[in-house]
Amino acid sequence: MSLGLRGLRSESLLPGTSACPGCPENMAMRMVGMALGKNVAMVVVAGCSSVIQGIGPKNAYGYPVLNIAFAAGPAAASGMWRAFKQRNKDVTVVVWAGDGGTADIGFASLSGAAERNEDFIYLCVDNEAYMNSGGQRSGSTPHGAVTTTTPEGKKENKKELLFIMLDHNVPYVATASVGYPHDLMDKLKRAKEVNGFRYIQILTPDPYGWLFDPSKTAEVGKLAVQTCYWPLIEVMNGKVRVSNESLHCLKKETRRPLKDFLSVQGRYKKLPERDYLELEKFVDDLWERIISMS
Amino acid sequence: MMKIISGNEAVALAVKLARVGVVGIYPITPQTTIIEELAEMRARGEISTDVVRVESEHSAMGVTLGAAVSGVRAFTATSSQGLLYMHEMVWWAAGSRAPIVMVVATRAVGAPWNIWNENTDFMSERDSGWIMAFASSPQEALDLTLQAFRISEDPRVFVPMMVGMDGFILSHTKTNVYIPSQEDVDAFIPPRRQPYVIDPETQESMGNIFQPVHYMKLRQSINDAIADSKDVIREVGREYEKINPLADYKTLNVEYKLEDADYAVVTMGAWSLDAMEAVDRLRERGISVGLYRVRYVRPWAEDEILRALGDKKGVIVFDRATSLGRGGPLYLEVKASLNNPVKGVVAGLGGVSMNKRDFMEAISTSIEEMKRGSFREVTWYYPSEVKEVELGTPRSAI
């Protein structure tokens, strides 16, 4: 099946980045460029993407980037769009952060910027661990996953950023996966048209942290959606819309077994049955909550 | 125009006069009334400054830095725990060589909780790569804040600048302050210029990974810019006298009755005036002493200090801050510049009050010690009314 991406040009990624093979963040960055075009200023907080852009003074991103410490991304973006406003410049400001920068160390400034309804797009590239420092557990690591700091498998569930951000009542919240580029780009384009705080959480399966073959990144990103582990939804002005790719998740009978997603990853190699059931329950609860919102 | 205002009001007025574009604000005692005043000015429509009410001091500097690197004049203010919480971003601003101005209304750092004055918060940032001035009056707080925009935005500098002032003592005390006119300030502070602006048109980027040798070069460039800013500071100081005829900013630091003195006292900030009165009294009693007031901690005016203090029989440095286990930071700085005898006195921490008599006692005792030739390098001075305070002995945990 052709994805039909060939005709689209990405403004965001120049040839020759420092990314690992199969890097999902590179994929997501390319899609951001295809959807948002050139008139973007980006704040990149500490993480893989501070490395992927290469060694300064060169920059492999087609955007002006302010690299900044973990907890300051949303604050810096707040200052940035306000400065552009003062200079009468219409620039889309984008924060790019990992799940660590979003769910954990950067959460206070994220929540503060959301509460103030600051006018920028916040992208959380969620690879479910601190991958840039070698794969330690984060607040966003799911139950049972083996990381370098949870060699026995994580005991707690994934922090549910989607719902936490919805509770901030911001104008636009969405989830996406690098497995479904068109869905992500549609959401980015819609987000661009909205004023105020916009949050998109993109699932970025990491071959080195999740332990799968680097050629399979997109496939794993799809499996996460097909097994309903990762929902593709969008909430605009309080209205929930489930993407076509996730519609089958609304009924439990039509969901693909979660095993199909877990079995392709090394981090779930030795998952005990009770942890599997816990993960299944996590998915059931997730969808129950989404259904209750629609 | 003369007006009776507090140090914090003076700083808010300076921010208004400098036509600052974005202010990131978070309340912390005793800085809070600066940002309240700015919020009031905004509500009254007196300023077009974008006042961003953030959720922490870390974010206050984040907003300020984001705005500054995107091309507008930016300001914030903080104190104590707030400055320490902001510490990471203070370094990030310096490393970005972003012209930013910050005022620190100084206060002790916990634990235990203490809201009173001490300069430790301010002094703990002296390795971070900012130009650092310290005021001794609300007037100087206003003057130095205005000069800070000029200095930090000077093409020979491009380094952020912080202005300290003693919490409560200056931040909340009202005195007569000369306020320059808007026209004069507009002529004094030109529109903002900076070499790097985050903008899709220019595609400039900042802060990504540097090779070790480039990193070191960048650090040296900041070091050199601060060290070389002395001429800019003197130049800006002379220019400032055009908009405030009562001002004297020809030098970084200030001398008082030093020329013919055998002994010198070194101070910084508000208590310098008490110390000056003590010097007057001691001179009446025939003790040959003068005073040197440090106004700039960074750059360190070694040339001025050597000229003023290099020939004294003894130099006594008063610190309202500590580098625990070693003495006061100002003492260490002065000692590093001089070859003659230098003694440090740690005093006035956490709001312990030092009046003229306390200074007279501490200075005359120190001079006696220095005359004898054997003196304790660093002493902790307690005014007579608090000398009795004792803490319990720490108990064993077992």
Side-chain angles (χ1 to χ4, degrees), chain B residues 211-286:
Chain B
Q211 293 280 18
V213 73
H214 286 139
Y215 169 85
M216 192 166 156
K217 273 278 174 200
L218 180 76
R219 303 311 284 181
Q220 197 194 346
S221 80
I222 301 170
N223 177 78
D224 296 350
I226 294 173
D228 296 346
S229 68
K230 276 179 270 187
D231 292 337
V232 178
I233 291 168
R234 291 184 190 116
E235 190 184 302
V236 169
R238 280 195 298 275
E239 283 240 353
Y240 188 77
E241 289 170 19
K242 287 182 200 157
I243 71 166
N244 177 355
L246 309 169
D248 180 4
Y249 290 95
K250 288 179 200 66
T251 50
L252 273 74
N253 300 332
V254 181
E255 295 181 29
Y256 180 73
K257 297 189 177 174
L258 256 187
E259 253 174 39
D260 61 337
D262 291 337
Y263 291 87
V265 173
V266 178
T267 57
M268 184 178 89
W271 69 2
S272 305
L273 281 81
D274 301 280
M276 278 157 74
E277 284 187 26
V279 163
D280 289 345
R281 282 293 197 82
L282 291 169
R283 277 186 163 253
E284 284 169 17
R285 293 184 189 177

Side-chain angles (χ1 to χ4, degrees), chain A residues 39 53-56 58-59 62-65 67-69 72 75-76 79-80 82-84 86-87 89 91 108-109 112 116, chain B residues 21 48 50 52-55 59 62-63 66-67 70 88-89 92 197-201 203-209 211:
Chain A
N39 195 28
Q53 69 194 101
I55 288 177
K58 293 186 169 63
N59 172 17
Y63 291 139
V65 173
N67 290 272
I68 205 155
M80 201 177 258
R82 285 160 190 272
F84 287 135
Q86 293 235 339
R87 293 170 58 210
K89 286 197 153 229
V91 178
S109 56
R116 295 191 302 274
Chain B
S48 57
D50 199 344
V52 193
R53 291 91 167 169
V54 291
E55 77 293 337
S59 286
V63 165
S70 305
E88 178 184 35
M89 298 315 295
W92 206 274
V197 179
I198 297 281
D199 191 319
E201 272 174 38
Q203 291 283 326
E204 299 277 8
S205 286
M206 299 174 77
N208 61 334
I209 292 178
Q211 293 280 18

Side-chain angles (χ1 to χ4, degrees), chain B residues 4-52:
Chain B
I4 295 174
I5 51 173
S6 70
N8 279 357
E9 288 169 311
V11 168
L13 270 174
V15 172
K16 176 189 176 182
L17 289 167
R19 299 190 188 277
V20 171
V22 174
V23 174
I25 63 171
Y26 191 77
I28 180 158
T29 304
Q31 167 275 129
T32 309
T33 51
I34 297 177
I35 59 156
E36 285 176 345
E37 184 64 28
L38 288 168
E40 290 277 350
M41 286 175 179
R42 170 77 198 201
R44 289 195 298 261
E46 290 171 18
I47 51 173
S48 57
T49 307
D50 199 344
V51 180
V52 193

Side-chain angles (χ1 to χ4, degrees), chain B residues 172-207:
Chain B
H172 284 63
T173 305
K174 297 198 177 197
T175 61
N176 232 350
V177 174
Y178 178 85
I179 303 156
S181 70
Q182 184 67 62
E183 298 72 52
D184 282 352
V185 175
D186 286 344
F188 175 67
I189 307 176
R192 184 181 180 86
R193 284 182 299 170
Q194 64 193 87
Y196 307 111
V197 179
I198 297 281
D199 191 319
E201 272 174 38
T202 55
Q203 291 283 326
E204 299 277 8
S205 286
M206 299 174 77

